[in-house]
Amino acid sequence: MRSASRGGRIARGALVGLVAGGAGLAVGELVAVATGEASAPVTAAGNWAISITPTWLEQFAIRNFGSNDKTVLLIGVYVTLALAAAVDGVLARTRLTLASILTAVVGVVGAIAAVTRPAADTSWLLPSLLAGLAAALVLPWLTILSLKESEPSAEPSERRRFVLGTLGTAAGALVAGYGGDAWIKRRYDVSAARAKVVLPTPAKVLPRPPASVRPNVRGLRPFFTPTSQFYRVDTALTLPRVDPRDWKLKIHGMVDRPFEITFDELLSYRFEEHDMTLVCVSNPVAGPYLGNARWLGTPLAPLLRRAGVHRRADMILSTSTDGMTIGSPVEAVLDGRQAILAVAMNGEALPIKHGFPCRMLIPGLYGYVSATKWVTDLNLTTFAASDAYWTPRGYSPQAPVKTSSRIDVPASGATVPAGTVVLAGTAWATHRGIAAVEVQIDNGAWREATLAAADTPDTWRQWSYRWANASKGSHKVKVRATDGTGAVQTSAVQGVVPNGATGYHTITVQVS
Ligand SMILES: Nc1nc2c(c(=O)[nH]1)N[C@H]1C(S)=C(S)[C@@H](COP(=O)(O)O)O[C@H]1N2
Ligand SMILES: [Mo]
Protein backbone atom coordinates (compact mmCIF):
# COMPACT_ATOMS: atom_id res chain seq x y z
CA MET A 1 0.00 0.00 0.00
CA ARG A 2 1.07 3.59 -0.71
CA SER A 3 1.55 5.94 2.19
CA ALA A 4 -0.81 8.93 2.19
CA SER A 5 0.31 11.95 0.15
CA ARG A 6 1.11 15.26 1.84
CA GLY A 7 -2.36 16.53 0.89
CA GLY A 8 -3.90 13.37 2.26
CA ARG A 9 -2.07 13.75 5.54
CA ILE A 10 -3.20 17.36 5.91
CA ALA A 11 -6.78 16.40 5.07
CA ARG A 12 -6.75 13.57 7.61
CA GLY A 13 -5.20 15.82 10.26
CA ALA A 14 -7.79 18.53 9.66
CA LEU A 15 -10.61 15.99 9.72
CA VAL A 16 -9.38 14.48 12.99
CA GLY A 17 -9.03 17.97 14.48
CA LEU A 18 -12.56 18.91 13.44
CA VAL A 19 -14.05 15.70 14.79
CA ALA A 20 -12.18 16.09 18.10
CA GLY A 21 -13.34 19.69 18.38
CA GLY A 22 -16.91 18.71 17.53
CA ALA A 23 -16.84 15.96 20.14
CA GLY A 24 -15.65 18.52 22.66
CA LEU A 25 -18.43 20.98 21.82
CA ALA A 26 -21.02 18.20 22.05
CA VAL A 27 -19.79 17.26 25.52
CA GLY A 28 -19.93 20.95 26.47
CA GLU A 29 -23.51 21.19 25.24
CA LEU A 30 -24.53 18.14 27.28
CA VAL A 31 -22.91 19.54 30.42
CA ALA A 32 -24.71 22.84 29.79
CA VAL A 33 -28.03 21.02 30.14
CA ALA A 34 -27.20 21.08 33.85
CA THR A 35 -25.40 24.41 34.09
CA GLY A 36 -27.54 26.54 31.77
CA GLU A 37 -27.70 27.58 28.12
CA ALA A 38 -25.43 30.61 28.41
CA SER A 39 -22.65 28.48 29.94
CA ALA A 40 -22.30 26.31 26.80
CA PRO A 41 -18.86 26.84 25.20
CA VAL A 42 -19.88 28.58 21.96
CA THR A 43 -22.49 30.78 23.67
CA ALA A 44 -20.09 31.75 26.45
CA ALA A 45 -17.34 32.52 23.95
CA GLY A 46 -19.79 34.56 21.86
CA ASN A 47 -21.04 36.52 24.85
CA TRP A 48 -17.47 37.19 25.88
CA ALA A 49 -16.71 38.41 22.34
CA ILE A 50 -19.73 40.74 22.52
CA SER A 51 -18.48 42.18 25.80
CA ILE A 52 -15.08 43.08 24.31
CA THR A 53 -16.42 44.26 20.95
CA PRO A 54 -15.19 47.81 20.41
CA THR A 55 -17.90 50.40 19.87
CA TRP A 56 -16.97 51.03 16.20
CA LEU A 57 -17.37 47.33 15.43
CA GLU A 58 -20.64 47.15 17.36
CA GLN A 59 -21.90 50.11 15.26
CA PHE A 60 -20.71 48.43 12.08
CA ALA A 61 -22.51 45.21 13.03
CA ILE A 62 -25.78 46.91 13.93
CA ARG A 63 -25.71 48.94 10.71
CA ASN A 64 -24.88 46.07 8.41
CA PHE A 65 -26.51 43.09 10.06
CA GLY A 66 -29.21 44.70 12.19
CA SER A 67 -31.05 42.07 14.16
CA ASN A 68 -28.98 39.34 12.44
CA ASP A 69 -25.83 40.54 14.18
CA LYS A 70 -26.01 37.63 16.61
CA THR A 71 -26.18 35.03 13.85
CA VAL A 72 -23.16 36.63 12.19
CA LEU A 73 -21.28 36.53 15.49
CA LEU A 74 -22.13 32.85 16.07
CA ILE A 75 -20.97 31.96 12.57
CA GLY A 76 -17.75 33.84 13.36
CA VAL A 77 -17.20 31.85 16.56
CA TYR A 78 -17.85 28.53 14.78
CA VAL A 79 -15.55 29.37 11.87
CA THR A 80 -12.75 30.46 14.24
CA LEU A 81 -13.08 27.29 16.31
CA ALA A 82 -13.22 25.11 13.19
CA LEU A 83 -10.06 26.67 11.75
CA ALA A 84 -8.23 26.31 15.06
CA ALA A 85 -9.36 22.68 15.39
CA ALA A 86 -8.29 21.82 11.84
CA VAL A 87 -4.84 23.38 12.27
CA ASP A 88 -4.46 21.64 15.64
CA GLY A 89 -5.39 18.34 14.04
CA VAL A 90 -2.67 18.75 11.41
CA LEU A 91 -0.17 19.73 14.09
CA ALA A 92 -1.11 16.63 16.09
CA ARG A 93 0.41 14.32 13.44
CA THR A 94 3.90 15.58 14.25
CA ARG A 95 3.55 17.14 17.72
CA LEU A 96 0.84 15.10 19.41
CA THR A 97 1.47 16.12 23.01
CA LEU A 98 1.70 19.80 22.15
CA ALA A 99 -1.48 19.67 20.05
CA SER A 100 -3.40 17.89 22.82
CA ILE A 101 -2.26 20.42 25.39
CA LEU A 102 -3.31 23.27 23.10
CA THR A 103 -6.76 21.71 22.82
CA ALA A 104 -7.10 21.56 26.58
CA VAL A 105 -5.88 25.16 26.80
CA VAL A 106 -8.66 26.28 24.45
CA GLY A 107 -11.08 24.61 26.86
CA VAL A 108 -9.55 26.48 29.80
CA VAL A 109 -9.78 29.78 27.92
CA GLY A 110 -13.44 29.02 27.13
CA ALA A 111 -14.07 28.26 30.78
CA ILE A 112 -12.55 31.58 31.80
CA ALA A 113 -14.64 33.38 29.19
CA ALA A 114 -17.73 31.68 30.62
CA VAL A 115 -17.06 32.20 34.31
CA THR A 116 -16.24 35.88 33.83
CA ARG A 117 -19.68 36.63 32.33
CA PRO A 118 -21.47 38.89 34.80
CA ALA A 119 -24.33 36.44 35.37
CA ALA A 120 -22.06 33.39 35.76
CA ASP A 121 -21.50 31.14 38.75
CA THR A 122 -18.56 28.74 39.16
CA SER A 123 -20.48 25.87 37.54
CA TRP A 124 -20.09 27.78 34.27
CA LEU A 125 -16.46 26.59 34.22
CA LEU A 126 -17.59 23.01 33.65
CA PRO A 127 -18.95 22.90 30.08
CA SER A 128 -15.83 24.36 28.47
CA LEU A 129 -13.40 22.54 30.77
CA LEU A 130 -15.01 19.19 30.04
CA ALA A 131 -15.31 20.08 26.37
CA GLY A 132 -11.58 20.79 26.25
CA LEU A 133 -10.82 17.60 28.12
CA ALA A 134 -12.97 15.49 25.79
CA ALA A 135 -11.38 17.04 22.70
CA ALA A 136 -7.90 16.59 24.19
CA LEU A 137 -8.63 12.86 24.60
CA VAL A 138 -10.31 12.27 21.25
CA LEU A 139 -7.52 14.08 19.37
CA PRO A 140 -4.63 11.73 20.30
CA TRP A 141 -6.83 8.66 19.97
CA LEU A 142 -7.96 9.47 16.42
CA THR A 143 -4.53 10.84 15.48
CA ILE A 144 -2.85 7.57 16.42
CA LEU A 145 -5.47 5.60 14.48
CA SER A 146 -4.91 7.90 11.54
CA LEU A 147 -1.10 7.65 11.65
CA LYS A 148 -1.33 3.85 11.63
CA GLU A 149 -3.80 3.96 8.79
CA SER A 150 -1.50 6.21 6.73
CA GLU A 151 1.51 3.90 6.98
CA PRO A 152 2.48 1.98 3.84
CA SER A 153 2.19 -1.29 5.78
CA ALA A 154 -1.29 -0.50 7.11
CA GLU A 155 -3.61 -3.48 7.43
CA PRO A 156 -7.20 -3.21 6.17
CA SER A 157 -8.30 -3.63 9.80
CA GLU A 158 -6.34 -0.50 10.73
CA ARG A 159 -8.03 1.45 7.97
CA ARG A 160 -11.39 0.23 9.19
CA ARG A 161 -10.61 1.22 12.76
CA PHE A 162 -9.69 4.76 11.68
CA VAL A 163 -12.75 5.17 9.46
CA LEU A 164 -15.12 3.75 12.06
CA GLY A 165 -13.52 5.70 14.90
CA THR A 166 -13.76 8.97 13.01
CA LEU A 167 -17.24 8.47 11.59
CA GLY A 168 -18.56 7.04 14.86
CA THR A 169 -17.23 9.97 16.89
CA ALA A 170 -18.55 12.49 14.38
CA ALA A 171 -21.99 10.88 14.40
CA GLY A 172 -22.01 10.67 18.19
CA ALA A 173 -20.97 14.33 18.44
CA LEU A 174 -23.76 15.43 16.10
CA VAL A 175 -26.38 13.47 18.01
CA ALA A 176 -25.12 14.65 21.41
CA GLY A 177 -24.67 18.24 20.24
CA TYR A 178 -28.08 18.65 18.66
CA GLY A 179 -29.71 16.51 21.34
CA GLY A 180 -28.10 18.56 24.09
CA ASP A 181 -29.21 21.76 22.42
CA ALA A 182 -32.80 20.55 22.10
CA TRP A 183 -32.75 19.32 25.70
CA ILE A 184 -31.54 22.73 26.89
CA LYS A 185 -34.25 24.51 24.91
CA ARG A 186 -36.88 22.30 26.52
CA ARG A 187 -35.51 22.34 30.03
CA TYR A 188 -35.27 26.14 30.22
CA ASP A 189 -38.34 26.93 28.13
CA VAL A 190 -40.62 29.48 29.77
CA SER A 191 -43.22 29.88 27.05
CA ALA A 192 -45.70 27.74 29.00
CA ALA A 193 -45.12 29.86 32.12
CA ARG A 194 -45.59 32.96 29.98
CA ALA A 195 -48.88 31.64 28.58
CA LYS A 196 -50.11 31.11 32.16
CA VAL A 197 -49.48 34.66 33.36
CA VAL A 198 -52.76 36.35 34.25
CA LEU A 199 -52.23 40.01 33.46
CA PRO A 200 -53.36 42.43 36.16
CA THR A 201 -56.38 44.59 35.41
CA PRO A 202 -55.24 48.17 35.01
CA ALA A 203 -56.57 50.59 37.64
CA LYS A 204 -56.90 53.06 34.82
CA VAL A 205 -58.00 51.58 31.51
CA LEU A 206 -56.77 53.70 28.68
CA PRO A 207 -59.20 54.28 25.83
CA ARG A 208 -57.90 53.44 22.37
CA PRO A 209 -56.38 56.57 20.87
CA PRO A 210 -58.56 58.10 18.14
CA ALA A 211 -58.08 56.88 14.58
CA SER A 212 -56.79 60.37 13.80
CA VAL A 213 -53.41 59.55 15.41
CA ARG A 214 -52.56 58.10 12.02
CA PRO A 215 -52.92 60.08 8.79
CA ASN A 216 -54.79 58.05 6.25
CA VAL A 217 -51.86 57.61 3.88
CA ARG A 218 -51.11 54.38 2.07
CA GLY A 219 -47.75 52.88 3.03
CA LEU A 220 -47.46 54.76 6.33
CA ARG A 221 -46.65 52.50 9.26
CA PRO A 222 -49.35 51.78 11.84
CA PHE A 223 -49.44 54.02 14.92
CA PHE A 224 -48.79 51.04 17.21
CA THR A 225 -45.94 48.84 16.07
CA PRO A 226 -47.13 45.23 15.89
CA THR A 227 -45.18 43.29 18.51
CA SER A 228 -43.83 40.90 15.87
CA GLN A 229 -42.27 43.87 14.06
CA PHE A 230 -40.97 45.65 17.16
CA TYR A 231 -37.20 46.12 16.91
CA ARG A 232 -34.98 44.15 19.23
CA VAL A 233 -31.64 45.40 20.51
CA ASP A 234 -29.67 43.68 23.28
CA THR A 235 -26.39 41.94 23.98
CA ALA A 236 -27.95 38.55 24.76
CA LEU A 237 -26.68 35.83 22.44
CA THR A 238 -29.20 33.43 23.93
CA LEU A 239 -32.39 34.86 25.33
CA PRO A 240 -32.61 34.92 29.12
CA ARG A 241 -35.44 32.57 30.07
CA VAL A 242 -36.78 33.73 33.39
CA ASP A 243 -39.52 31.73 35.08
CA PRO A 244 -41.86 34.16 36.86
CA ARG A 245 -41.89 31.77 39.82
CA ASP A 246 -38.16 32.35 40.26
CA TRP A 247 -38.26 36.07 39.46
CA LYS A 248 -37.52 38.51 42.25
CA LEU A 249 -36.81 42.18 42.16
CA LYS A 250 -34.41 43.55 44.71
CA ILE A 251 -34.32 47.26 45.53
CA HIS A 252 -31.26 48.19 47.55
CA GLY A 253 -28.18 50.41 47.76
CA MET A 254 -28.57 53.97 49.02
CA VAL A 255 -32.00 53.39 50.56
CA ASP A 256 -33.38 53.28 54.09
CA ARG A 257 -35.44 50.14 53.64
CA PRO A 258 -34.09 47.67 51.07
CA PHE A 259 -36.62 45.02 50.01
CA GLU A 260 -37.35 42.24 47.59
CA ILE A 261 -40.60 41.39 45.82
CA THR A 262 -41.80 38.32 43.95
CA PHE A 263 -43.67 38.35 40.67
CA ASP A 264 -47.00 37.65 42.41
CA GLU A 265 -46.42 40.59 44.76
CA LEU A 266 -45.57 42.78 41.81
CA LEU A 267 -48.82 41.81 40.10
CA SER A 268 -50.79 42.80 43.21
CA TYR A 269 -49.71 46.44 42.80
CA ARG A 270 -51.52 49.19 40.96
CA PHE A 271 -51.11 48.79 37.21
CA GLU A 272 -51.58 51.37 34.49
CA GLU A 273 -51.65 51.27 30.75
CA HIS A 274 -49.31 53.65 29.02
CA ASP A 275 -48.57 54.39 25.38
CA MET A 276 -44.90 54.97 24.81
CA THR A 277 -42.39 54.98 21.98
CA LEU A 278 -39.12 53.23 22.75
CA VAL A 279 -36.06 54.50 20.88
CA CYS A 280 -32.59 53.01 20.59
CA VAL A 281 -29.58 55.31 20.78
CA SER A 282 -28.13 53.31 17.88
CA ASN A 283 -30.91 54.46 15.59
CA PRO A 284 -29.27 56.37 12.74
CA VAL A 285 -31.14 59.32 11.18
CA ALA A 286 -34.31 57.81 9.68
CA GLY A 287 -33.36 54.37 11.02
CA PRO A 288 -35.67 51.55 12.09
CA TYR A 289 -34.68 51.09 15.75
CA LEU A 290 -37.75 52.49 17.43
CA GLY A 291 -41.26 51.26 18.06
CA ASN A 292 -44.47 52.37 19.67
CA ALA A 293 -46.53 50.17 21.96
CA ARG A 294 -49.19 50.16 24.64
CA TRP A 295 -47.47 48.94 27.80
CA LEU A 296 -48.96 47.67 31.03
CA GLY A 297 -46.86 48.44 34.08
CA THR A 298 -46.74 49.44 37.69
CA PRO A 299 -45.27 52.86 38.46
CA LEU A 300 -41.70 52.78 39.66
CA ALA A 301 -41.89 55.91 41.83
CA PRO A 302 -43.94 54.35 44.70
CA LEU A 303 -41.44 51.47 44.88
CA LEU A 304 -38.56 53.92 45.25
CA ARG A 305 -40.51 55.85 47.90
CA ARG A 306 -41.19 52.64 49.79
CA ALA A 307 -37.43 51.95 49.80
CA GLY A 308 -36.66 55.50 50.96
CA VAL A 309 -34.02 56.68 48.49
CA HIS A 310 -31.20 58.73 50.04
CA ARG A 311 -30.97 62.31 48.88
CA ARG A 312 -27.49 61.84 47.45
CA ALA A 313 -28.48 58.86 45.28
CA ASP A 314 -28.93 60.13 41.74
CA MET A 315 -28.73 56.87 39.75
CA ILE A 316 -30.72 53.67 39.56
CA LEU A 317 -28.30 51.01 38.40
CA SER A 318 -30.58 48.26 37.13
CA THR A 319 -29.32 44.78 36.34
CA SER A 320 -30.89 42.02 34.28
CA THR A 321 -30.56 38.27 34.74
CA ASP A 322 -27.96 38.22 31.97
CA GLY A 323 -25.85 40.82 33.73
CA MET A 324 -26.62 43.88 31.58
CA THR A 325 -26.37 47.06 33.65
CA ILE A 326 -28.29 50.23 32.85
CA GLY A 327 -27.99 53.54 34.70
CA SER A 328 -31.01 55.83 34.89
CA PRO A 329 -31.44 59.15 36.67
CA VAL A 330 -33.50 58.86 39.87
CA GLU A 331 -34.98 62.22 39.03
CA ALA A 332 -36.51 60.93 35.80
CA VAL A 333 -38.44 58.35 37.82
CA LEU A 334 -39.59 60.76 40.52
CA ASP A 335 -40.48 63.82 38.41
CA GLY A 336 -43.98 62.65 37.66
CA ARG A 337 -43.51 60.91 34.32
CA GLN A 338 -44.84 57.40 33.90
CA ALA A 339 -41.70 55.38 34.59
CA ILE A 340 -42.90 51.81 34.98
CA LEU A 341 -42.02 48.20 35.53
CA ALA A 342 -43.83 46.71 32.56
CA VAL A 343 -45.20 43.18 32.31
CA ALA A 344 -47.15 43.45 29.08
CA MET A 345 -46.90 44.99 25.65
CA ASN A 346 -49.76 45.48 23.20
CA GLY A 347 -52.11 43.46 25.41
CA GLU A 348 -49.92 40.40 25.84
CA ALA A 349 -47.40 39.31 28.47
CA LEU A 350 -43.99 40.66 27.42
CA PRO A 351 -42.47 38.47 24.73
CA ILE A 352 -39.33 36.71 25.97
CA LYS A 353 -37.13 38.80 23.67
CA HIS A 354 -38.66 42.01 25.00
CA GLY A 355 -37.90 41.22 28.63
CA PHE A 356 -40.35 38.65 30.02
CA PRO A 357 -41.43 38.67 32.78
CA CYS A 358 -40.60 42.28 33.63
CA ARG A 359 -38.77 45.23 32.15
CA MET A 360 -38.19 48.83 33.08
CA LEU A 361 -39.38 51.75 30.93
CA ILE A 362 -38.81 55.47 31.42
CA PRO A 363 -40.39 57.82 28.88
CA GLY A 364 -38.01 60.28 27.26
CA LEU A 365 -34.76 58.34 27.63
CA TYR A 366 -33.00 56.09 25.13
CA GLY A 367 -33.35 52.37 25.80
CA TYR A 368 -29.77 51.86 26.95
CA VAL A 369 -30.34 54.19 29.92
CA SER A 370 -33.89 53.20 30.82
CA ALA A 371 -35.41 50.07 29.34
CA THR A 372 -33.78 47.16 31.18
CA LYS A 373 -35.25 43.86 30.03
CA TRP A 374 -35.34 40.80 32.35
CA VAL A 375 -34.69 43.24 35.19
CA THR A 376 -34.18 41.82 38.69
CA ASP A 377 -32.11 44.33 40.60
CA LEU A 378 -32.34 48.07 41.24
CA ASN A 379 -29.32 49.44 43.03
CA LEU A 380 -29.61 53.05 44.17
CA THR A 381 -26.22 54.67 43.66
CA THR A 382 -24.59 57.72 42.04
CA PHE A 383 -23.41 58.52 38.53
CA ALA A 384 -20.08 59.47 40.13
CA ALA A 385 -19.61 56.07 41.75
CA SER A 386 -21.04 53.65 39.17
CA ASP A 387 -20.65 53.00 35.47
CA ALA A 388 -23.34 51.14 33.56
CA TYR A 389 -22.41 48.72 30.74
CA TRP A 390 -22.30 51.22 27.88
CA THR A 391 -20.47 54.04 29.70
CA PRO A 392 -16.91 52.68 29.47
CA ARG A 393 -17.76 51.78 25.86
CA GLY A 394 -18.05 55.41 24.88
CA TYR A 395 -21.73 56.24 25.40
CA SER A 396 -22.97 59.08 27.60
CA PRO A 397 -24.11 58.13 31.12
CA GLN A 398 -27.29 60.18 30.58
CA ALA A 399 -29.17 60.33 27.31
CA PRO A 400 -32.57 61.94 26.71
CA VAL A 401 -34.11 61.08 23.33
CA LYS A 402 -33.26 63.70 20.72
CA THR A 403 -35.93 65.39 18.62
CA SER A 404 -36.07 63.49 15.34
CA SER A 405 -38.27 63.06 12.30
CA ARG A 406 -38.53 60.73 9.38
CA ILE A 407 -40.18 60.67 5.96
CA ASP A 408 -41.76 57.26 5.45
CA VAL A 409 -43.83 57.96 2.32
CA PRO A 410 -42.72 58.02 -0.41
CA ALA A 411 -39.60 55.91 -0.02
CA SER A 412 -36.37 57.66 -0.92
CA GLY A 413 -35.69 57.27 -4.65
CA ALA A 414 -39.32 56.46 -5.44
CA THR A 415 -40.97 57.69 -8.63
CA VAL A 416 -44.33 59.43 -8.20
CA PRO A 417 -46.73 60.99 -10.70
CA ALA A 418 -46.66 64.77 -11.12
CA GLY A 419 -49.40 66.82 -9.44
CA THR A 420 -50.17 66.51 -5.75
CA VAL A 421 -47.73 64.27 -3.91
CA VAL A 422 -48.61 63.17 -0.39
CA LEU A 423 -45.66 63.02 2.00
CA ALA A 424 -46.02 61.39 5.39
CA GLY A 425 -43.92 60.19 8.26
CA THR A 426 -43.20 60.17 11.95
CA ALA A 427 -41.59 62.55 14.43
CA TRP A 428 -40.57 61.94 18.01
CA ALA A 429 -39.17 63.78 21.00
CA THR A 430 -40.39 61.36 23.61
CA HIS A 431 -41.72 62.92 26.80
CA ARG A 432 -41.40 66.44 25.37
CA GLY A 433 -43.88 65.73 22.60
CA ILE A 434 -44.01 67.11 19.07
CA ALA A 435 -45.38 70.61 18.46
CA ALA A 436 -44.68 70.98 14.74
CA VAL A 437 -43.25 69.24 11.70
CA GLU A 438 -42.05 71.10 8.63
CA VAL A 439 -40.92 69.95 5.23
CA GLN A 440 -38.63 71.63 2.79
CA ILE A 441 -38.59 70.97 -0.94
CA ASP A 442 -35.42 71.73 -2.92
CA ASN A 443 -34.08 74.27 -0.43
CA GLY A 444 -37.32 76.27 -0.60
CA ALA A 445 -39.12 77.69 2.42
CA TRP A 446 -39.92 75.34 5.33
CA ARG A 447 -43.63 74.55 5.18
CA GLU A 448 -45.76 73.32 8.03
CA ALA A 449 -46.95 69.73 7.73
CA THR A 450 -50.29 68.57 9.15
CA LEU A 451 -49.82 66.80 12.46
CA ALA A 452 -51.95 63.78 13.23
CA ALA A 453 -53.65 63.79 16.64
CA ALA A 454 -51.23 63.43 19.56
CA ASP A 455 -51.64 60.37 21.77
CA THR A 456 -49.29 61.21 24.66
CA PRO A 457 -46.10 63.32 24.68
CA ASP A 458 -44.34 59.99 25.24
CA THR A 459 -45.34 58.63 21.84
CA TRP A 460 -44.24 59.52 18.37
CA ARG A 461 -46.46 61.71 16.27
CA GLN A 462 -47.29 61.02 12.67
CA TRP A 463 -47.64 63.77 10.08
CA SER A 464 -48.54 64.34 6.44
CA TYR A 465 -48.07 67.05 3.87
CA ARG A 466 -49.78 67.67 0.54
CA TRP A 467 -47.14 68.83 -1.88
CA ALA A 468 -49.17 70.60 -4.56
CA ASN A 469 -48.04 71.03 -8.17
CA ALA A 470 -44.99 68.81 -7.85
CA SER A 471 -43.17 69.38 -11.14
CA LYS A 472 -41.43 66.73 -13.21
CA GLY A 473 -37.86 65.97 -12.33
CA SER A 474 -35.75 64.99 -9.33
CA HIS A 475 -36.50 66.74 -6.04
CA LYS A 476 -34.97 66.74 -2.57
CA VAL A 477 -37.31 66.64 0.39
CA LYS A 478 -36.24 67.31 3.98
CA VAL A 479 -38.10 67.11 7.26
CA ARG A 480 -37.59 68.66 10.68
CA ALA A 481 -39.59 68.69 13.89
CA THR A 482 -40.14 71.06 16.77
CA ASP A 483 -40.58 69.52 20.21
CA GLY A 484 -43.09 70.45 22.88
CA THR A 485 -40.66 72.91 24.49
CA GLY A 486 -40.44 74.86 21.23
CA ALA A 487 -36.92 73.70 20.35
CA VAL A 488 -36.36 72.98 16.66
CA GLN A 489 -34.61 69.75 15.72
CA THR A 490 -30.93 70.41 15.02
CA SER A 491 -29.56 70.18 11.50
CA ALA A 492 -26.07 69.41 12.83
CA VAL A 493 -25.03 66.01 11.55
CA GLN A 494 -23.82 63.72 14.33
CA GLY A 495 -23.38 59.96 14.52
CA VAL A 496 -24.91 57.60 17.05
CA VAL A 497 -22.00 57.68 19.54
CA PRO A 498 -22.02 59.04 22.24
CA ASN A 499 -25.69 59.93 22.76
CA GLY A 500 -27.78 59.67 19.59
CA ALA A 501 -27.62 60.70 15.95
CA THR A 502 -28.83 64.09 14.71
CA GLY A 503 -29.37 65.70 11.32
CA TYR A 504 -32.31 65.99 8.96
CA HIS A 505 -33.73 63.07 7.04
CA THR A 506 -33.48 63.92 3.34
CA ILE A 507 -34.94 61.91 0.49
CA THR A 508 -34.95 62.21 -3.28
CA VAL A 509 -38.20 61.87 -5.16
CA GLN A 510 -38.50 61.43 -8.92
CA VAL A 511 -41.63 63.14 -10.17
CA SER A 512 -42.63 61.87 -13.62
N1 LIG B 1 -31.11 43.14 29.66
C1 LIG B 1 -30.98 44.02 28.66
N2 LIG B 1 -31.87 45.03 28.56
C2 LIG B 1 -31.77 45.94 27.57
C3 LIG B 1 -30.73 45.86 26.63
C4 LIG B 1 -29.79 44.78 26.76
O1 LIG B 1 -28.83 44.64 25.98
N3 LIG B 1 -29.96 43.89 27.78
N4 LIG B 1 -30.65 46.78 25.62
C5 LIG B 1 -31.31 48.06 25.83
C6 LIG B 1 -31.41 48.83 24.61
S1 LIG B 1 -29.96 49.45 23.99
C7 LIG B 1 -32.61 49.10 24.02
S2 LIG B 1 -32.70 50.18 22.73
C8 LIG B 1 -33.85 48.45 24.46
C9 LIG B 1 -34.50 47.71 23.31
O2 LIG B 1 -35.65 47.06 23.75
P1 LIG B 1 -36.40 46.05 22.77
O3 LIG B 1 -35.39 45.03 22.34
O4 LIG B 1 -37.53 45.48 23.55
O5 LIG B 1 -36.88 46.87 21.60
O6 LIG B 1 -33.62 47.54 25.50
C10 LIG B 1 -32.68 47.93 26.47
N5 LIG B 1 -32.68 46.94 27.51
MO1 LIG C 1 -30.46 50.83 22.39
Side-chain angles (χ1 to χ4, degrees):
M1 293 247 178
R2 261 180 348 104
S3 75
S5 67
R6 188 181 143 80
R9 290 196 303 272
I10 290 179
R12 281 175 176 76
L15 175 67
V16 164
L18 285 171
V19 170
L25 288 185
V27 166
E29 200 68 26
L30 282 179
V31 178
V33 173
T35 56
E37 186 172 23
S39 67
V42 170
T43 312
N47 277 323
W48 170 77
I50 289 175
S51 77
I52 60 153
T53 299
T55 300
W56 62 265
L57 185 57
E58 175 248 337
Q59 281 304 313
F60 174 85
I62 207 167
R63 258 171 197 278
N64 291 282
F65 311 127
S67 298
N68 294 323
D69 54 351
K70 296 183 179 78
T71 315
V72 173
L73 175 77
L74 276 181
I75 292 172
V77 173
Y78 275 112
V79 168
T80 307
L81 283 175
L83 281 176
V87 169
D88 201 45
V90 175
L91 177 70
R93 299 179 75 85
T94 49
R95 310 285 304 274
L96 185 53
T97 312
L98 174 65
S100 305
I101 291 173
L102 282 178
T103 307
V105 167
V106 171
V108 171
V109 170
I112 293 170
V115 82
T116 52
R117 295 311 82 231
D121 60 54
T122 42
S123 74
W124 286 34
L125 286 166
L126 289 176
S128 295
L129 281 183
L130 294 173
L133 183 64
L137 292 173
V138 171
L139 182 69
W141 171 56
L142 287 182
T143 300
I144 289 165
L145 289 186
S146 172
L147 287 173
K148 284 192 186 146
E149 178 268 352
S150 316
E151 266 166 30
S153 58
E155 303 277 332
S157 67
E158 284 168 326
R159 306 233 136 160
R160 227 172 20 245
R161 225 170 284 146
F162 169 64
V163 171
L164 287 179
T166 308
L167 287 182
T169 309
L174 282 176
V175 170
Y178 279 101
D181 192 53
W183 191 356
I184 287 174
K185 297 251 148 63
R186 237 188 63 198
R187 171 152 186 211
Y188 297 99
D189 184 33
V190 292
S191 44
R194 177 173 174 266
K196 270 195 250 149
V197 170
V198 179
L199 293 177
T201 313
K204 224 174 45 202
V205 179
L206 219 55
R208 290 301 291 178
S212 54
V213 291
R214 182 177 178 277
N216 195 5
V217 174
R218 272 241 319 260
L220 187 62
R221 281 162 230 240
F223 180 72
F224 285 113
T225 312
T227 305
S228 61
Q229 284 164 35
F230 206 95
Y231 80 99
R232 172 186 168 202
V233 170
D234 55 58
T235 58
L237 198 49
T238 54
L239 282 174
R241 292 173 224 274
V242 186
D243 192 314
R245 279 169 306 189
D246 305 328
W247 183 88
K248 273 198 185 117
L249 178 73
K250 193 171 158 190
I251 303 188
H252 63 112
M254 296 168 70
V255 298
D256 293 332
R257 301 170 293 274
F259 63 91
E260 233 180 46
I261 52 171
T262 64
F263 194 64
D264 281 342
E265 282 173 87
L266 181 81
L267 293 189
S268 71
Y269 294 165
R270 182 193 154 84
F271 271 76
E272 293 172 356
E273 289 184 309
H274 189 52
D275 297 344
M276 191 196 115
T277 299
L278 181 59
V279 191
C280 182
V281 71
S282 294
N283 194 46
V285 171
Y289 300 118
L290 74 163
N292 187 43
R294 173 158 288 188
W295 309 90
L296 175 67
T298 189
L300 202 41
L303 289 173
L304 293 194
R305 293 208 184 88
R306 173 172 157 197
V309 176
H310 295 174
R311 277 233 318 284
R312 280 196 316 105
D314 62 3
M315 180 211 241
I316 305 173
L317 187 66
S318 51
T319 307
S320 63
T321 54
D322 62 330
M324 167 55 64
T325 52
I326 283 182
S328 318
V330 169
E331 208 209 319
V333 173
L334 297 180
D335 71 0
R337 72 184 84 185
Q338 265 175 297
I340 54 174
L341 290 173
V343 299
M345 154 180 207
N346 292 331
E348 262 184 89
L350 285 177
I352 293 163
K353 63 178 164 193
H354 294 296
F356 178 76
C358 180
R359 80 178 300 170
M360 211 164 100
L361 290 171
I362 306 176
L365 307 181
Y366 284 118
Y368 82 104
V369 289
S370 66
T372 322
K373 305 192 269 190
W374 315 290
V375 64
T376 52
D377 190 290
L378 305 181
N379 178 15
L380 275 295
T381 174
T382 65
F383 280 95
S386 304
D387 270 348
Y389 182 87
W390 287 109
T391 307
R393 290 168 173 82
Y395 288 86
S396 303
Q398 305 213 29
V401 173
K402 294 179 178 175
T403 304
S404 311
S405 50
R406 192 176 69 196
I407 305 166
D408 292 322
V409 179
S412 190
T415 304
V416 296
T420 299
V421 176
V422 177
L423 306 169
T426 312
W428 61 94
T430 53
H431 199 56
R432 298 184 301 283
I434 291 294
V437 168
E438 297 162 288
V439 295
Q440 184 193 48
I441 291 156
D442 298 328
N443 298 318
W446 284 98
R447 304 206 183 274
E448 194 114 345
T450 307
L451 289 178
D455 182 2
T456 77
D458 298 342
T459 55
W460 59 25
R461 196 155 177 191
Q462 295 186 316
W463 59 268
S464 60
Y465 179 78
R466 291 175 70 83
W467 171 16
N469 306 318
S471 59
K472 286 190 180 168
S474 176
H475 298 279
K476 264 200 166 51
V477 182
K478 267 187 204 168
V479 65
R480 72 178 185 193
T482 301
D483 75 9
T485 73
V488 180
Q489 178 181 344
T490 177
S491 60
V493 175
Q494 197 210 284
V496 156
V497 185
N499 51 24
T502 59
Y504 294 162
H505 183 206
T506 308
I507 65 166
T508 27
V509 181
Q510 313 296 335
V511 178
S512 66

